[in-house]
């Protein structure tokens, strides 16, 4: 199902969210306020980062620096029901709030690759946009469930 958070009044949106969450368990969110131009910039920035040589990606690896930066295939397992003998078959790059200070003892500060001038500004803008969306969705979920 598709949840359009700008379609209908607030009560109707909350009712649809409740229905989708309880009866189906997932939904596609549309008209979420994340500009398509930003999504395209994020895709280009990510493609540029993952096309870097391994040494350039390793320079911003999160090992020993908290949970911010690059991780290789096999370094993450998000299956909490498993015995952790398996791992995710993806590499990734984690960012958080760009405050210059760790937000939690387990998290380090963001690391940024050299040679990609738009990467930081794009990812910070995306993080902040997604943070706002997450807060608004949590408020909707709190009403719906």
């Amino acid at each position: 199902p598709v949840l359009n958070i700008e379609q209908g009044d607030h009560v109707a949106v909350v009712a649809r969210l409740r229905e989708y969450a309880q009866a189906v368990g997932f939904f596609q969110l549309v008209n979420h306020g994340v500009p398509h131009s930003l999504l395209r910039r994020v895709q280009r920035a990510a493609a540029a980062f993952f096309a870097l040589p391994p040494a350039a990606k390793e320079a911003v690896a999160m090992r020993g620096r908290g949970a911010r930066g690059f991780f290789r295939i096999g370094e993450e397992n998000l299956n909490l029901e498993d015995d952790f003998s398996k791992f995710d078959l993806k590499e990734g790059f984690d960012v958080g709030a760009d405050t210059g200070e760790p937000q939690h003892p387990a998290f380090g500060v963001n690391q940024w690759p050299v040679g990609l001038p738009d990467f930081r500004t794009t990812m910070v803008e995306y993080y902040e946009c997604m943070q706002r969306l997450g807060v608004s969705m949590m408020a909707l979920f709190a009403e719906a469930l």
Side-chain angles (χ1 to χ4, degrees):
V2 176
L3 180 64
N4 183 342
I5 59 176
E6 292 184 354
Q7 184 179 40
D9 64 9
H10 182 76
V11 173
V13 170
V14 169
R16 281 192 300 278
L17 174 59
R18 181 182 308 110
E19 175 190 347
Y20 297 162
Q22 290 178 336
V24 181
F26 66 90
F27 56 88
Q28 176 187 3
L29 185 63
V30 298
N31 291 324
H32 40 64
V34 181
H36 289 284
S37 60
L38 176 57
L39 295 174
R40 285 190 296 276
R41 286 184 13 239
V42 167
Q43 289 173 333
R44 285 193 302 269
F49 175 78
F50 290 109
L52 289 173
K57 293 185 284 189
E58 289 294 329
V60 290
M62 63 173 66
R63 290 182 309 279
R65 300 182 196 156
R68 298 285 185 260
F70 172 69
F71 62 88
R72 293 186 306 280
I73 293 172
E75 289 186 335
E76 188 170 76
N77 179 344
L78 296 180
N79 182 357
L80 300 178
E81 296 176 6
D82 194 0
D83 63 4
F84 294 101
S85 64
K86 300 175 186 168
F87 50 84
D88 293 349
L89 298 174
K90 68 175 187 301
E91 57 183 355
F93 191 94
D94 289 343
V95 299
D98 200 36
T99 63
E101 297 290 326
Q103 300 300 296
H104 183 278
F107 301 145
V109 296
N110 289 326
Q111 303 182 81
W112 304 110
V114 175
L116 298 177
D118 298 328
F119 189 83
R120 180 179 187 165
T121 56
T122 298
M123 294 305 175
V124 168
E125 183 181 348
Y126 180 68
Y127 178 88
E128 291 171 350
C129 193
M130 296 309 294
Q131 178 77 15
R132 288 188 299 274
L133 177 59
V135 167
S136 65
M137 289 304 299
M138 288 303 290
L140 286 174
F141 273 109
E143 285 185 71
L145 305 174

